[in-house]
Amino acid sequence: MTEDEIYRTSTQYRLWSFTPETLASLRASTNASAAQAVRAAIEGLQDGSSGGKERDETQDDDPILQQGKGSSVDCLSVEEEQKLVGFYCVKTLEFVDFCEYPTVVKATAVQYLKRFYLTNSPMTYHPKEIMPTAVYLAMKTEDSFHYVKSFAEKLPDHTTEEDILAPEFLLTQGLRFTFDVRHPFHGLEGGFMELMALTNGKGHAGPLITKSPQELRDDMMNTGVAPGASSKTSTPKAMITRIQAAHIKAKNTLKTSALLTDAYFFYTPSQIWLSALLLADEPLARFYVDTKLTALSELKVRLFTTLQICADLLRTSISSKPSKEEKKELKRIVNKLVQCRNPQKLDLVGINKTQKRDSGKEDMLDEKVAKKRKLEREKSAKEAEDLFGPTLGNQ
């Protein structure tokens, strides 16, 4: 099997790859369903409150009960939801960096958040409550496990162990129980090593390229001018410096823009890291692809078209440091969310306890049913023995 065929068997390709149109449609559908559920829940809560003779004093301060009818609730738009989720993706990057967890944990946690909110809305489950659980689950997935108690101590606002564990099953359901995330980091490191080998005259081209390592090295010295340079790279030492600079830039792109955009939903890991290299040093990226595909290859033309579109997407990434205007907009969205959250989903810890309690009751009920059926079978067997006598073997 080729690497492309192997990738097509992965859950990332089968379940989490989309076209821009299907992704937009899925998000719009999720938003519409959540808004409908929010309005119905708020209207039910208001009807229940107004129907009672006595009124709880705490209801006077409840922003939900102070609104108009549920049908008039101003819910978040798809764009507002994406801005809010994007903000908490940035917060995830900051938190993982603060804790000094591996880069792969950071990348996986962000993808868990983005995947979860394809079929769940911030109006139903606040990203602030899901984010710590996403990081904790990513730590376990990427073999960087920490005890939940020590993890909770790193979080602000007196976060408890229950706060982290309560949404875990909910998150795994949203992920469709698929935890594998294919990242572009290893691909970039492999490409970096290949470029270094080519510089040293020890590299090899693809199967359709007949050039020797020395010829490839000479071609490398004739690549276009590096970004910010005034002339071509003429010596192996200068080329090594150029490759290292491109590697750092591409790696930073993978650690930020690739995570904060929808690149993982649209492109393969190989396409993402090649696009990051294209942004860092386009002549070097084109030379690298030239060592794999012939100049007249139709696949090469299609590949560069795809890489350019992916690179354009990476350029549109939200900033990891929001501007003053962006912070003002986020504050507006957060305040709006207070008015349109689903009141039935506010207490995730309480919901989790209720589900466990109900599950325990079901187990007890099943045990009682099984015991009753066993007694009935024994009674039937005894009645048959009384009527027809014992089995021949017992006589």
Side-chain angles (χ1 to χ4, degrees):
M1 294 178 68
T2 64
E3 288 194 20
D4 184 61
E5 290 172 333
I6 294 173
Y7 178 72
R8 287 174 184 272
T9 65
S10 69
T11 55
Q12 182 159 318
Y13 175 79
R14 291 186 292 108
L15 302 178
W16 302 107
S17 292
F18 307 91
T19 64
E21 294 76 19
T22 56
L23 186 66
S25 175
L26 178 58
R27 283 172 171 160
S29 176
T30 299
N31 174 266
S33 298
Q36 183 178 5
V38 164
R39 293 186 176 107
I42 291 177
E43 190 163 345
L45 187 65
Q46 291 171 332
D47 290 343
S49 173
S50 60
K53 294 182 179 180
E54 295 184 1
R55 181 178 179 85
D56 189 342
E57 293 180 0
T58 59
Q59 293 177 352
D60 295 333
D61 299 325
D62 193 329
I64 293 176
L65 296 177
Q66 292 178 10
Q67 301 182 87
K69 294 294 286 182
S71 58
S72 65
V73 175
D74 185 17
C75 293
L76 297 185
S77 66
V78 176
E79 292 74 18
E80 289 171 332
E81 286 185 330
Q82 287 309 297
K83 287 180 181 179
L84 190 62
V85 173
F87 171 73
Y88 278 96
C89 286
V90 172
K91 287 297 181 184
T92 301
L93 301 184
E94 294 176 353
F95 173 68
V96 175
D97 285 340
F98 169 77
C99 296
E100 298 182 342
Y101 296 147
T103 297
V104 69
V105 170
K106 171 169 58 178
T108 297
V110 170
Q111 293 311 307
Y112 282 175
L113 266 184
K114 293 178 76 68
R115 290 179 179 184
F116 178 80
Y117 283 107
L118 288 185
T119 53
N120 293 278
S121 168
M123 292 184 288
T124 309
Y125 304 110
H126 200 299
K128 183 179 180 180
E129 298 171 350
I130 301 298
M131 185 201 81
T133 307
V135 176
Y136 186 65
L137 184 59
M139 289 166 59
K140 293 193 285 186
T141 301
E142 301 300 345
D143 198 23
S144 181
F145 178 73
H146 288 67
Y147 288 106
V148 65
K149 182 178 180 180
S150 62
F151 177 74
E153 290 172 352
K154 297 178 183 292
L155 291 161
D157 301 329
H158 306 290
T159 304
T160 66
E161 298 174 32
E162 282 188 330
D163 293 330
I164 298 166
L165 297 177
E168 190 170 39
F169 184 70
L170 176 69
L171 176 59
T172 60
Q173 284 182 309
L175 298 176
R176 300 171 72 175
F177 301 98
T178 58
F179 308 111
D180 179 42
V181 181
R182 305 293 179 95
H183 296 292
F185 302 113
H186 290 312
L188 176 63
E189 297 306 314
F192 169 69
M193 289 188 287
E194 283 189 279
L195 287 170
M196 295 294 281
L198 288 166
T199 304
N200 296 323
K202 298 179 181 179
H204 298 279
L208 301 178
I209 308 297
T210 58
K211 293 183 179 180
S212 66
Q214 186 59 48
E215 289 175 320
L216 291 171
R217 179 179 177 179
D218 293 340
D219 289 346
M220 194 176 199
M221 297 302 164
N222 291 321
T223 55
V225 179
S230 57
S231 59
K232 290 184 178 181
T233 309
S234 57
T235 65
K237 184 177 180 180
M239 180 57 72
I240 289 175
T241 302
R242 175 178 177 177
I243 294 171
Q244 290 172 336
H247 174 245
I248 292 173
K249 290 181 182 178
K251 193 171 184 178
N252 287 336
T253 298
L254 296 184
K255 291 164 65 175
T256 52
S257 300
L259 300 178
L260 299 176
T261 61
D262 289 328
Y264 276 66
F265 293 136
F266 298 150
Y267 303 101
T268 67
S270 297
Q271 291 170 339
I272 295 172
W273 81 257
L274 281 170
S275 298
L277 183 61
L278 195 70
L279 286 175
D281 192 330
E282 183 171 342
L284 197 61
R286 289 186 175 276
F287 166 78
Y288 178 80
V289 175
D290 287 342
T291 66
K292 306 296 181 183
L293 301 171
T294 60
L296 300 178
S297 172
E298 182 181 348
L299 176 60
K300 183 177 176 181
V301 176
R302 296 205 310 268
L303 175 61
F304 272 114
T305 300
T306 301
L307 295 183
Q308 196 62 63
I309 297 173
C310 181
D312 291 341
L313 175 64
L314 296 179
R315 288 192 185 96
T316 65
S317 170
I318 62 174
S319 173
S320 56
K321 295 182 179 179
S323 64
K324 186 176 180 180
E325 291 73 19
E326 290 172 331
K327 288 181 179 179
K328 184 177 180 180
E329 172 67 3
L330 286 167
K331 185 177 180 180
R332 181 192 68 79
I333 294 173
V334 170
N335 290 336
K336 182 178 179 181
L337 180 60
V338 173
Q339 306 293 332
C340 63
R341 283 201 64 187
N342 189 330
Q344 297 176 345
K345 305 293 184 179
L346 293 178
D347 183 10
L348 294 183
V349 173
I351 292 173
N352 185 54
K353 288 181 178 179
T354 301
Q355 290 174 339
K356 287 182 177 179
R357 184 173 63 250
D358 291 344
S359 176
K361 289 180 179 178
E362 289 178 2
D363 291 342
M364 291 176 62
L365 182 61
D366 291 342
E367 186 178 344
K368 289 180 179 179
V369 170
K371 188 174 181 180
K372 181 179 179 182
R373 288 176 179 174
K374 181 181 179 182
L375 292 173
E376 289 175 350
R377 286 195 301 270
E378 291 175 350
K379 181 180 179 181
S380 298
K382 187 176 185 303
E383 289 175 350
E385 186 175 324
D386 292 341
L387 181 63
F388 298 105
T391 60
L392 294 178
N394 294 333
Q395 290 180 345

